[in-house]
């Protein structure tokens, strides 16, 4: 059912040409040729957009198709982007340059690469550590700082979790715990969050050398304490701009040693992510904090205005220590902006409504500049 606000936006758009929007994801030329609004994982988003009168089309992307996709986007009012930071050895360097270009020419982009660099990187955990979702978080911007500062912190603070600044799928995320504390010859047990990983004992020096690649291209490493309640699961809070649109709860297995059956066994697989609506009773405390406290505080701290917030993003939380009265606390472990999927079934209508609002604003701005 349309709200009054949505109806007004729809009527305003109907005065001129219908809004046109692309949904962009990675593929190859054949996938680009074959793509339709119905034959992909985002079909429900296409349906929700069409229900509000928005003409949405696929824009399958590959680096060797960047110029072709650019020409497509320049004919449209906006684009939603679903592309991971790292995938099969590919990054977003070429894509982000193209998206910045089309955005500078008046095409609305969600999420804009500059917003991703503020929200969708692990450094956000350090920048926002003083918010209610924060914890004892540290940032290493160079291999030298890492070598000087991490060993004493590991010895004094217990098991830590290290995260490369940009990544997905558990790549570059490690649990590190001290096995032997002999000065100058510390042995650590490390476990990567990538599915199928097994614990490995090695010298701390060798492990830190292995992490040296994370500092390439102005990279960095974020360091957080390991959360003992990890087996209780992860809560994914799905956001459309500044409003919660649902939750997902999953019993994760990343950073937990595999069972005796082995890392590829059924017992080592994470549990299903159980989706819940925004109204789910179990998560109302977290919803209130996200909408009324943490998201506004994050926006102010990172200098992100309401119009620039991604249409779909999520914040992943682990359970922190319980309070003295037994209430749960929450620790932010990641914000996902680049390619949020899957999401609750309640999300597509809200995504479409938000898109309609933003597209009207973008069209108005574009028309004003052209007058």
């Amino acid at each position: 059912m349309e709200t009054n606000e949505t109806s007004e936006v729809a009527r305003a758009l109907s005065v001129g040409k219908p809004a046109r929007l692309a949904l962009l994801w990675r593929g190859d030329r054949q996938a680009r040729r074959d793509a339709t609004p119905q034959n992909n994982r985002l079909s429900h988003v296409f349906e929700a957009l069409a229900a509000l009168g928005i003409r949405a089309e696929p824009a399958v992307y590959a680096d060797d198709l960047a110029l072709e996709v650019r020409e497509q986007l320049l004919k449209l009012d906006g684009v939603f982007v679903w592309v991971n930071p790292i995938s099969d050895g590919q990054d977003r360097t070429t894509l982000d340059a193209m998206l910045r270009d089309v955005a500078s020419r008046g095409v609305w982009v969600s999420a804009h690469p500059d917003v991703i660099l503020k929200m969708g990187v692990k450094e956000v955990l350090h920048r926002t550590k003083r918010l209610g979702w924060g914890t004892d978080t540290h940032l290493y911007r160079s291999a030298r700082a890492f070598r000087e500062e991490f060993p004493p912190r590991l010895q004094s603070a217990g098991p830590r979790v290290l995260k490369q600044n940009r990544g997905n799928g558990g790549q570059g995320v490690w649990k590190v715990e001290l096995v032997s504390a002999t000065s100058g010859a510390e042995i650590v047990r490390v476990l990567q969050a990538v599915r199928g990983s097994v614990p490995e004992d090695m010298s701390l020096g060798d492990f830190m050398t292995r992490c040296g690649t994370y500092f390439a291209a102005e990279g960095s490493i974020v360091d957080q304490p390991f959360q003992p309640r990890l087996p209780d699961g992860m809560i994914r809070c799905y956001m459309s701009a500044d409003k919660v649109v649902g939750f997902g709860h999953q019993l994760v297995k990343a950073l937990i040693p595999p069972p005796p059956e082995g890392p590829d066994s059924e017992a080592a697989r994470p549990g299903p992510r159980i989706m819940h609506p925004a109204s789910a009773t179990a998560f109302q405390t977290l919803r209130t904090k996200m909408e009324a406290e943490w998201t506004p505080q994050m926006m102010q701290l990172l200098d992100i205005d309401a119009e620039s917030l991604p249409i779909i993003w999520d914040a992943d939380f682990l359970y922190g220590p319980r309070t003295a009265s037994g209430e749960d606390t929450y620790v932010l472990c990641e914000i996902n902006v680049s390619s949020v999927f899957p999401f609750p079934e309640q999300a597509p209508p809200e995504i479409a409504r938000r898109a309609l609002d933003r597209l009207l604003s973008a069209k108005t701005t574009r028309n004003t500049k052209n007058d």
Side-chain angles (χ1 to χ4, degrees):
M1 183 175 181
E2 290 189 355
T3 64
N4 290 337
E5 177 186 0
T6 301
S7 299
E8 290 175 5
V9 174
R11 283 195 294 272
L13 282 173
S14 67
V15 173
K17 295 181 179 179
R20 299 181 62 195
L21 179 70
L23 275 60
L24 184 151
W25 63 89
R26 194 183 289 278
D28 56 22
R29 183 168 293 280
Q30 184 64 43
R32 179 171 173 79
R33 185 180 301 116
D34 295 342
T36 71
Q38 294 79 33
N39 66 357
N40 61 84
R41 64 179 185 168
L42 299 173
S43 58
H44 292 312
V45 179
F46 278 102
E47 292 172 3
L49 292 167
L52 295 185
I54 299 174
R55 294 184 180 178
E57 59 188 60
V60 177
Y61 172 87
D63 285 351
D64 61 348
L65 300 173
L67 291 178
E68 182 177 326
V69 176
R70 175 183 179 274
E71 292 305 310
Q72 176 187 4
L73 300 185
L74 287 175
K75 299 175 183 177
L76 307 178
D77 299 299
V79 55
F80 280 156
V81 183
W82 273 268
V83 176
N84 280 320
I86 301 173
S87 179
D88 299 325
Q90 303 175 90
D91 61 25
R92 290 184 47 137
T93 302
T94 301
L95 170 63
D96 286 347
M98 185 269 286
L99 292 174
R100 288 188 176 96
D101 176 44
V102 299
S104 71
R105 299 169 187 270
V107 179
W108 170 65
V109 176
S110 186
H112 192 285
D114 293 345
V115 175
I116 293 176
L117 287 177
K118 293 180 178 182
M119 290 178 58
V121 293
K122 304 303 189 297
E123 186 176 338
V124 72
L125 302 172
H126 182 258
R127 295 187 65 184
T128 65
K129 68 178 183 178
R130 301 194 186 284
L131 303 188
W133 65 28
T135 187
D136 174 34
T137 305
H138 302 271
L139 176 68
Y140 309 111
R141 294 194 180 277
S142 69
R144 179 178 178 179
F146 183 44
R147 286 188 171 276
E148 291 177 352
E149 300 171 22
F150 181 63
R153 184 163 292 127
L154 179 64
Q155 289 188 11
S156 64
R160 310 293 294 181
V161 175
L162 301 180
K163 304 175 181 182
Q164 67 170 325
N165 195 38
R166 298 200 74 175
N168 53 273
Q171 299 174 83
V173 177
W174 298 86
K175 179 186 178 184
V176 186
E177 56 185 325
L178 201 59
V179 175
S180 171
T182 303
S183 179
E186 297 94 338
I187 301 299
V188 293
R189 180 164 296 141
V190 300
L191 176 62
Q192 192 172 199
V194 173
R195 186 174 298 180
S197 297
V198 296
E200 182 179 359
D201 289 1
M202 63 174 61
S203 74
L204 178 57
D206 286 346
F207 173 70
M208 289 191 293
T209 297
R210 177 184 293 186
C211 294
T213 57
Y214 302 148
F215 296 104
E218 299 183 347
S220 60
I221 293 177
V222 169
D223 169 9
Q224 292 183 298
F226 177 76
Q227 297 300 318
R229 293 185 65 191
L230 177 62
D232 291 344
M234 182 186 75
I235 304 170
R236 178 160 288 180
C237 181
Y238 293 93
M239 305 290 294
S240 182
D242 59 353
K243 298 299 181 185
V244 174
V245 293
F247 297 94
H249 183 261
Q250 183 177 31
L251 297 179
V252 296
K253 299 298 179 69
L255 302 184
I256 297 176
E261 295 88 339
D264 299 318
S265 65
E266 186 66 29
R269 296 180 180 275
R273 180 174 290 118
I274 307 301
M275 297 296 190
H276 302 270
S279 59
T281 303
F283 306 114
Q284 288 311 293
T285 297
L286 181 56
R287 178 184 184 180
T288 298
K289 289 182 178 295
M290 279 296 291
E291 293 184 343
E293 298 179 34
W294 295 342
T295 300
Q297 291 169 357
M298 178 197 71
M299 292 169 61
Q300 182 176 16
L301 186 62
L302 303 182
D303 191 24
I304 299 173
D305 60 47
E307 289 296 305
S308 299
L309 275 175
I311 292 296
I312 182 68
W313 59 283
D314 71 63
D316 288 347
F317 291 95
L318 299 178
Y319 289 103
R322 289 188 174 91
T323 66
S325 59
E327 297 175 341
D328 286 321
T329 63
Y330 304 95
V331 175
L332 180 69
C333 65
E334 186 174 39
I335 290 179
N336 300 295
V337 178
S338 301
S339 184
V340 176
F341 190 88
F343 35 72
E345 63 181 13
Q346 297 84 5
E350 183 63 18
I351 291 172
R353 191 191 71 79
R354 293 275 181 169
L356 195 59
D357 193 9
R358 298 279 181 87
L359 286 171
L360 174 62
S361 177
K363 285 170 70 74
T364 300
T365 301
R366 178 183 280 181
N367 291 339
T368 299
K369 289 180 177 179
N370 292 337
D371 287 344

